[in-house]
């Protein structure tokens, strides 16, 4: 399975947030997207997931165009973002049951507990989200995003607020998704962690792809010149 | 059928969240009680018979309370970015609109009942007419209010003007609902025959169905951009 983008352009009024970006992300591997603030990382993720319709270019999965307006595509997508996307007044179990039901998954408490158990948070099922710590919320959000076993997983700064235990759980989950041949696209500021986890790295600067390379053998210092003026390379 | 199931899930979730937090509903209830009290104080009943104006005052109170509530429809969706995740599920956009409108409708019904009870009590209107006939008038009227409020509630969230934009957008559209609703409710209060009321009720249903249909179709364009 391969998620591809060709010539993606996204404009916000007169500002070009993405400028003819190409990429390929294969199932069973992790693509990390890096870049300075305002580089267009989150916009790229939104365009890939279908949350935002690109002004030009297209996104394909195995060569077939995909779009956010297609429910079948949305059913195959999972998202973990730095904002948890959970309802604070509901318990974690109720949140998972709600989102599970929208995905057509049997909405019982046992299902929620099982999903939470996979991220080491089975004990959170009956606790309202507003009573959880930031790290616990992020674990619950991770469980919610994996409920429907997505084929394509987008992660937008997922390590924000996670304690070391939570970060380890997330890393372990990413390994599981890699083994399950899921397409994983990870947006992060954390160069070291991103390079350690990912198979391929893409650096954006001012909406343009300035580096697309294998992660193997790369150090964070190798990528830093691409955050400022200078390098521009696709390997 | 799937859309109705999704709409039911979303409405139930919204109501669960609302009744646990209570902020929006409490604000609407407080507004209704205070507005009715002030109307009762401001009205010189020796000059204007209360029964003749109670319906109009009730509809205005319901309109303002519903608008207050509509402005907060998407608060819980925005607070931790849940709306982004909701939009990434396979749920159709019109199901989201219908679900959120249904939840709004329940809240509007609560304040509608309260407004009628409060106004008839404060204004001393005895024998307020048939409850069934009041229900027949209020049902289509409140469906229209809830649908318009939900649609423009999201639009105002996207605007830098926020909630201040909401009345400007909704009030012109709701003029026919208020006009025919107040006319019909006034006639129920004064116990006029149903033949004098049914025409207004039919028009209220036409507006309600129109608002729900147009909102369902257009909501996706608001939600996705």
């Amino acid at each position: 399975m391969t998620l591809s983008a060709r010539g993606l352009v996204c404009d916000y009024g007169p500002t070009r947030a993405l400028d003819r970006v190409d990429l390929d992300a294969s199932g069973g591997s992790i693509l990390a997207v890096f870049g300075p603030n305002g580089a267009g990382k989150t916009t790229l993720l939104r365009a890939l997931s279908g949350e935002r319709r690109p002004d030009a270019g297209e996104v394909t999965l195995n060569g077939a165009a995909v779009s956010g307006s297609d429910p079948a595509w949305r059913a195959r997508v999972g998202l973990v973002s730095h904002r948890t996307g959970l309802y604070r007044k509901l318990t974690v179990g109720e949140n998972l049951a709600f989102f599970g039901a929208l995905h057509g998954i049997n909405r019982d408490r046992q299902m929620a507990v099982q999903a939470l158990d996979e991220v080491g948070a089975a004990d959170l099922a009956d606790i309202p989200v507003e009573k959880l710590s930031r790290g616990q919320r992020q674990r619950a959000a991770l469980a919610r995003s994996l409920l429907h076993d997505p084929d394509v997983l987008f992660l937008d700064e997922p390590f924000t607020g996670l304690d070391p235990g939570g970060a380890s759980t997330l890393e372990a989950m990413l390994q599981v998704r890699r083994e399950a041949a899921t397409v994983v696209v990870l947006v992060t500021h954390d160069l070291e962690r991103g390079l350690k986890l990912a198979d391929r790295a893409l650096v954006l600067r001012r909406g343009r792809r300035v580096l697309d390379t294998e992660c193997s053998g790369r150090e964070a210092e190798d990528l830093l010149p691409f955050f400022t003026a200078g390098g521009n390379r696709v390997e | 059928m799937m859309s109705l199931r999704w709409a039911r899930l979303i409405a139930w979730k919204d109501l669960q969240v609302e009744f646990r937090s209570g902020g929006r509903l409490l604000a609407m209830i407080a507004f209704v009680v205070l507005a009715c009290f002030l109307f009762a104080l401001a009205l010189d009943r020796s000059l204007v018979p209360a029964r003749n104006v109670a319906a109009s005052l009730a509809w205005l109170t319901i309109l303002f309370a519903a608008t207050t509530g509509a402005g907060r429809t998407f608060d819980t969706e925005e607070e931790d970015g849940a709306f982004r995740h909701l939009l990434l599920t396979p749920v159709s956009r019109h199901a989201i609109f219908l679900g959120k409108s249904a939840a709004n409708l329940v809240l509007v019904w609560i304040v509608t009942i309260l407004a009628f009870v409060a106004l008839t009590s404060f204004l001393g209107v005895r024998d307020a007419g048939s409850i069934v006939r009041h229900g027949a008038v209020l049902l289509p009227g409140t469906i229209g209010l809830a649908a318009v409020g939900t649609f423009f509630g999201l639009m105002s969230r996207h605007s830098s003007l926020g909630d201040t934009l909401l009345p400007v957008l909704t009030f012109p559209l709701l003029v026919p609902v208020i006009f025919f609703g107040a006319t019909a409710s006034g006639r129920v209060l004064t116990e006029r025959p149903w033949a004098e009321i049914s025409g207004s009720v039919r028009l209220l249903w036409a507006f309600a169905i129109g608002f729900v249909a147009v909102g369902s179709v257009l909501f996706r364009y608001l939600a996705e951009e």
Side-chain angles (χ1 to χ4, degrees):
Chain A
M1 195 181 313
T2 303
L3 179 74
S4 302
R6 292 289 174 268
L8 278 189
V9 173
C10 286
D11 294 327
Y12 291 108
T15 307
R16 179 144 291 187
L18 282 184
D19 191 0
R20 290 163 291 163
V21 172
D22 297 338
L23 66 82
D24 293 293
S26 304
S29 67
I30 298 173
L31 171 71
V33 180
F34 301 111
N37 290 335
K41 304 185 295 294
T42 297
T43 302
L44 174 63
L45 210 66
R46 286 178 177 269
L48 290 173
S49 65
E51 292 171 84
R52 192 195 191 287
R53 197 174 297 120
D55 294 293
E58 70 169 357
V59 181
T60 60
L61 186 69
N62 294 336
V66 295
S67 153
S69 59
D70 178 8
W73 165 244
R74 298 199 300 270
R76 302 176 73 175
V77 169
L79 170 71
V80 181
S81 67
H82 54 284
R83 297 180 76 194
T84 59
L86 299 168
Y87 297 100
R88 290 182 194 177
K89 291 290 174 188
L90 301 184
T91 66
V92 173
E94 287 168 340
N95 267 286
L96 266 59
F98 172 67
F99 281 101
L102 297 182
H103 278 283
I105 299 166
N106 185 21
R107 55 187 310 240
D108 62 11
R109 188 181 176 283
Q110 191 55 38
M111 175 276 296
V113 172
Q114 198 176 338
L116 285 165
D117 195 32
E118 288 177 24
V119 296
D123 54 334
L124 302 181
D126 296 321
I127 302 175
V129 170
E130 65 183 352
K131 299 236 165 93
L132 300 180
S133 70
R134 169 79 189 139
Q136 287 173 320
R137 288 184 195 195
Q138 196 66 345
R139 281 179 189 236
L142 180 61
R144 187 270 322 278
S145 301
L146 299 174
L147 268 179
H148 57 294
D149 192 20
D151 293 327
V152 182
L153 184 60
F154 297 104
L155 301 108
D156 188 1
E157 301 289 358
F159 293 100
T160 306
L162 276 184
D163 55 24
S168 299
T169 304
L170 177 54
E171 289 178 12
M173 281 307 304
L174 289 178
Q175 291 304 333
V176 171
R177 302 314 302 185
R178 194 205 308 261
E179 285 158 21
T182 305
V183 175
V184 180
V185 180
L186 165 68
V187 165
T188 179
H189 274 107
D190 190 337
L191 281 174
E192 284 180 15
R193 196 193 300 267
L195 283 173
K196 190 181 92 180
L197 283 171
D199 303 282
R200 199 161 182 86
L202 185 144
V203 179
L204 292 178
R205 194 179 67 238
R206 292 181 186 166
R208 292 191 174 164
R209 183 182 67 160
V210 292
L211 177 68
D212 187 350
T213 183
E214 298 288 335
C215 291
S216 172
R218 289 277 186 182
E219 298 291 333
E221 292 74 26
D222 300 336
L223 267 59
L224 283 175
F226 293 91
F227 277 53
T228 54
N232 197 354
R233 193 163 71 232
V234 177
E235 296 170 356
Chain B
M1 287 306 288
M2 199 64 186
S3 288
L4 287 179
R5 185 172 163 269
W6 281 329
R8 188 169 49 84
L9 285 167
I10 290 165
W12 178 241
K13 180 270 297 172
D14 271 13
L15 289 172
Q16 271 184 303
V17 170
E18 185 54 49
F19 287 121
R20 284 180 198 177
S21 60
R24 182 160 57 126
L25 183 60
L26 280 177
M28 291 165 81
I29 288 172
F31 175 85
V32 165
V33 172
L34 287 169
C36 293
F37 181 66
L38 289 174
F39 280 143
L41 279 181
L43 191 69
D44 184 346
R45 275 172 275 173
S46 63
L47 295 175
V48 185
R51 185 181 292 275
N52 293 358
V53 293
S56 301
L57 296 179
W59 273 93
L60 283 177
T61 308
I62 296 163
L63 170 68
F64 295 148
T67 307
T68 305
R72 299 271 169 256
T73 304
F74 291 90
D75 278 11
T76 53
E77 301 290 352
E78 304 277 344
E79 64 183 6
D80 273 327
F83 200 49
R84 184 183 181 191
H85 292 265
L86 183 59
L87 291 175
L88 263 183
T89 63
V91 173
S92 60
R93 279 44 180 147
H94 61 265
I96 297 175
F97 173 75
L98 290 175
K100 299 198 85 67
S101 296
N104 261 345
L105 182 61
V106 172
L107 303 185
V108 173
W109 276 342
I110 291 171
V111 295
T112 297
I113 292 166
L114 185 64
F116 266 83
V117 170
L119 263 178
T120 50
S121 305
F122 292 154
L123 294 176
V125 178
R126 290 187 193 142
D127 193 9
S130 156
I131 290 177
V132 174
R133 287 188 177 186
H134 276 303
V137 173
L138 289 167
L139 181 62
T142 49
I143 289 173
L145 287 179
V148 170
T150 303
F151 184 83
F152 287 104
L154 182 58
M155 187 182 270
S156 67
R157 302 298 298 200
H158 287 180
S159 160
S160 56
L161 291 173
D163 287 354
T164 51
L165 187 65
L166 195 55
V168 179
L169 294 171
T170 56
F171 286 3
L173 269 178
L174 290 170
V175 164
V177 173
I178 299 304
F179 177 76
F180 291 111
T183 304
S185 291
R187 288 177 184 177
V188 175
L189 265 175
T190 49
E191 300 188 51
R192 309 290 295 178
W194 180 248
E196 287 184 22
I197 301 164
S198 59
S200 295
V201 172
R202 278 198 293 273
L203 283 168
L204 285 172
W205 273 114
F207 283 116
I209 292 166
F211 287 145
V212 171
V214 172
S216 296
V217 172
L218 296 183
F219 190 73
R220 58 174 294 200
Y221 298 105
L222 269 184
E224 289 179 357
E225 292 297 336

